[in-house]
Amino acid sequence: MEQLMRDFFLFLSKNKTLTKLAKQYGLRFGASRFVAGETIDDAVRVIRQLNEKGLAVTVDYLGEFVDNEREANEMARHCLEAIEAISREKLNSQLSLKMTSMGLDISDDLVMRNMRRILDVAKQRGVFVTIDMEDYSRCQKTLDIFKQLKKEYDNVGTVLQAYLYRTEKDIEDLKSYRPNLRLVKGAYKESPEVAFPEKKDVDENFKKIIKQHLLNGNYTAVATHDDAIIEYTKQLVKEYNIPNSQFEFQMLYGIRPERQIELVREGYTMRVYVPYGTDWYGYFMRRLAERPANVAFVLKGIIRK
């Protein structure tokens, strides 16, 4: 039943008509629990509140289905606006972005031009930028572009997904670049030909790649809401005397906020992924697909209204 629900919400997340309706309809039906708002001002307000609690942030202007140059350039403009706001407001925040929204599916020239525009300004403002990983079909291209950009910029990292068979090899392949990587389980529906279909296998691989990347001596962001993975990481760093300055935990805005605060109190860097923007629908559907508890929360919100 849980798998059916997951597949249903992942199917909905890719529906362009529903995405369009959601943009018109606004942040209702519980989406505001997971999305900071539609404007950079909304995001700044949320980031400041989180910073006051000792939480670091990475902010993401949401955008999906970008299929023309004008939209890609507009998405890049929003990223530049976010970087300027982080700098101006002296916020403890990084920037996350998806390269499809920068023109990845349109042309190499366009995506590289937009990425360099963003990274140039981010470097001047002292803002770190993480390139989110998307579905498997874009994985190799994303890593190829990351390698090119890493040769030019220090302030860029990317994401690897534990559910992909290839990830262990990717970590070794990236080792010489001294990459700052966010490690995640993975939230897209992928074929069993490329991804572990069973949760227990994903969890085991997640532990394996956390250990691999940390022992390579590289900065590791462990992005999880799973207590077993959090505890595994704590024990691992203790066993190998890895300093807290070499890793951090990351969670999504609106999910397990009390646990986030606990980790700060325990002395760990805890970074919250804060999305904002009008194109929130696909992101919201993937959050519902991940956790049945999120669906229950949203249904309660609808009934209350």
Side-chain angles (χ1 to χ4, degrees):
M1 182 64 185
E2 194 171 308
Q3 186 59 44
L4 273 176
M5 193 181 280
R6 175 178 158 78
D7 291 348
F8 174 65
F9 283 112
L10 288 175
F11 167 75
L12 290 181
S13 75
K14 294 175 181 174
N15 189 298
K16 293 190 182 188
T17 307
L18 290 174
T19 298
K20 207 170 176 182
L21 282 171
K23 278 186 181 179
Q24 291 168 353
Y25 204 59
L27 278 170
R28 300 181 196 174
F29 299 127
S32 58
R33 177 185 174 175
F34 307 106
V35 180
E38 296 194 344
T39 69
I40 187 61
D41 290 341
D42 294 331
V44 165
R45 203 157 38 245
V46 167
I47 295 167
R48 189 175 287 119
Q49 287 167 1
L50 293 168
N51 285 173
E52 285 167 1
K53 294 174 182 174
L55 295 157
V57 168
T58 185
V59 68
D60 185 358
Y61 183 80
L62 295 171
E64 309 202 5
F65 308 122
V66 169
D67 55 13
N68 64 72
E69 187 169 340
R70 185 191 58 77
E71 279 186 4
N73 290 336
E74 179 65 8
M75 289 298 295
R77 187 189 66 74
H78 281 290
C79 289
L80 292 168
E81 181 183 55
I83 291 165
E84 295 293 0
I86 290 167
S87 174
R88 184 181 62 250
E89 303 291 334
K90 296 181 172 54
L91 301 170
N92 179 2
S93 181
Q94 300 178 352
L95 176 77
S96 290
L97 58 79
K98 288 183 170 54
M99 282 205 295
T100 49
S101 65
M102 298 298 120
L104 184 71
D105 296 344
I106 302 165
S107 82
D108 290 353
D109 178 62
L110 177 63
V111 72
M112 290 305 279
R113 194 166 68 240
N114 277 330
M115 286 305 301
R116 287 189 177 109
R117 272 172 70 200
I118 289 162
L119 287 167
D120 282 340
V121 175
K123 192 173 184 178
Q124 290 165 16
R125 301 287 183 261
V127 175
F128 190 85
V129 178
T130 298
I131 299 166
D132 288 340
M133 188 55 74
E134 300 179 65
D135 61 356
Y136 180 80
S137 67
R138 297 177 175 93
C139 182
Q140 189 59 52
K141 200 169 181 185
T142 299
L143 292 179
D144 290 343
I145 291 174
F146 169 69
K147 286 177 188 175
Q148 179 58 47
L149 292 170
K150 189 71 173 72
K151 290 172 187 171
E152 302 169 37
Y153 301 91
D154 292 331
N155 60 320
V156 64
T158 192
V159 179
L160 291 179
Q161 299 160 320
Y163 66 179
L164 296 182
Y165 302 136
R166 61 173 290 166
T167 298
E168 193 178 347
K169 183 176 173 297
D170 286 333
I171 289 179
E172 276 315 296
D173 185 45
L174 290 171
K175 184 178 173 180
S176 62
Y177 291 83
R178 310 285 301 156
N180 176 324
L181 295 179
R182 177 193 302 153
L183 303 179
V184 303
K185 283 190 182 177
Y188 293 85
K189 184 168 171 53
E190 300 291 2
S191 155
E193 288 174 20
V194 300
F196 294 102
E198 299 294 329
K199 181 185 180 297
K200 64 177 172 50
D201 296 324
V202 176
D203 289 347
E204 281 312 303
N205 201 46
F206 201 1
K207 290 174 184 175
K208 189 189 284 186
I209 64 172
I210 290 167
K211 182 175 184 178
Q212 182 187 6
H213 192 54
L214 279 170
L215 294 187
N216 281 346
N218 295 319
Y219 194 87
T220 307
V222 180
T224 184
H225 305 100
D226 184 338
D227 281 325
I229 299 293
I230 292 168
E231 287 310 312
Y232 170 81
T233 306
K234 287 182 186 178
Q235 292 307 314
L236 183 75
V237 298
K238 194 181 287 181
E239 185 183 342
Y240 289 94
N241 293 315
I242 294 166
N244 284 8
S245 57
Q246 197 195 314
F247 73 98
E248 64 185 50
F249 293 109
Q250 294 189 0
M251 292 190 193
L252 300 171
Y253 176 63
I255 300 181
R256 306 203 69 196
E258 300 86 0
R259 188 74 179 103
Q260 295 173 15
I261 298 295
E262 278 173 22
L263 287 166
V264 171
R265 288 189 185 135
E266 289 169 23
Y268 298 104
T269 300
M270 172 65 234
R271 191 174 305 277
V272 184
Y273 180 95
V274 175
Y276 74 103
T278 55
D279 202 359
W280 50 267
Y281 173 80
Y283 174 84
F284 180 44
M285 288 297 121
R286 285 195 293 279
R287 296 298 73 76
L288 296 186
E290 276 174 356
R291 289 167 70 91
N294 294 342
V295 182
F297 173 87
V298 170
L299 290 174
K300 278 181 203 158
I302 294 169
I303 290 162
R304 279 195 204 108
K305 284 170 187 165

